[in-house]
Amino acid sequence: MIKNLFMALLAFFALCVQAVHADPLAEAKLLFERYEALETRFDPGAADLYADNAVIRNKRFYPDGQVRELTIPAPQYKQLIRDAMPLAQARNDRNTYTKTTYKLEGMGVRIQATRFSVMKQYDSPISLLVAPDASGRWLIREELTESRPF
């Protein structure tokens, strides 16, 4: 009797977990909403949205026409986010996002948006690949951005 009850509870729990993660697009939207909210509040916890092995690439366009692509190791990038949030808040260096789209890609979802730098007054594309880790937690696996220095 107890074994049957335990098996029934296990099956119920498995169905609940599956239902929660049944819609990858909804999971991706929730993650991106959290990303925006944490960034808007200048919360260093935004770094926790990134997987430790995430690919971070930024293509930087300079006024003299040079273009440089920088790849940053995820642990370094996460620390950079934590360290930069107080300075960004002091300067009101924030972004807004428009034209956000979500598309299934493999086991994850590709989020693409236009990012507007309020302080620097320019638009640039951002692309995030988000997917669940082994525990089912959705994280940013890849961030591809473009930027312009002052």
Side-chain angles (χ1 to χ4, degrees), residues 30-49 81-82 84-97 118:
L30 286 173
L31 178 61
F32 193 67
E33 287 170 3
R34 187 162 181 233
Y35 174 91
E36 286 184 284
L38 291 170
E39 189 177 278
T40 298
R41 292 193 315 263
F42 302 99
D43 187 329
D48 298 329
L49 299 178
I81 291 170
R82 290 182 186 99
M85 282 300 188
L87 177 59
Q89 185 173 20
R91 297 169 52 181
N92 196 31
D93 187 2
R94 60 189 175 84
N95 300 307
T96 60
Y97 298 88
V118 174

Side-chain angles (χ1 to χ4, degrees), residues 18-65:
Q18 184 179 3
V20 168
H21 297 291
D23 185 357
L25 294 175
E27 293 290 335
K29 287 177 184 179
L30 286 173
L31 178 61
F32 193 67
E33 287 170 3
R34 187 162 181 233
Y35 174 91
E36 286 184 284
L38 291 170
E39 189 177 278
T40 298
R41 292 193 315 263
F42 302 99
D43 187 329
D48 298 329
L49 299 178
Y50 291 83
D52 289 337
N53 62 348
V55 174
I56 311 297
R57 276 197 205 106
N58 177 259
K59 189 181 282 189
R60 200 157 174 98
F61 294 85
Y62 291 87
D64 65 2

Side-chain angles (χ1 to χ4, degrees), residues 3-5 15 30 33-34 36 38 43 56 58 67-68 76 79 88 106 113 122 124 128 132 134 137-138 145:
K3 183 179 177 183
N4 288 343
L5 180 59
L15 285 173
L30 286 173
E33 287 170 3
R34 187 162 181 233
E36 286 184 284
L38 291 170
D43 187 329
I56 311 297
N58 177 259
V67 178
R68 292 189 186 138
Q76 181 182 342
Q79 189 59 51
Y122 73 88
S124 64
L128 302 173
R137 181 174 177 231
W138 280 74
T145 57

Side-chain angles (χ1 to χ4, degrees), residues 50 53-60 68-74 77 110 115 125-128 140-147:
Y50 291 83
N53 62 348
V55 174
I56 311 297
R57 276 197 205 106
N58 177 259
K59 189 181 282 189
R60 200 157 174 98
R68 292 189 186 138
E69 189 168 85
L70 177 66
T71 300
I72 304 170
Y77 189 65
R110 174 72 58 186
R115 178 176 62 179
I126 182 169
S127 175
L128 302 173
I140 298 169
R141 302 294 192 164
E142 179 182 78
E143 177 180 290
L144 308 174
T145 57
E146 293 181 6
S147 62

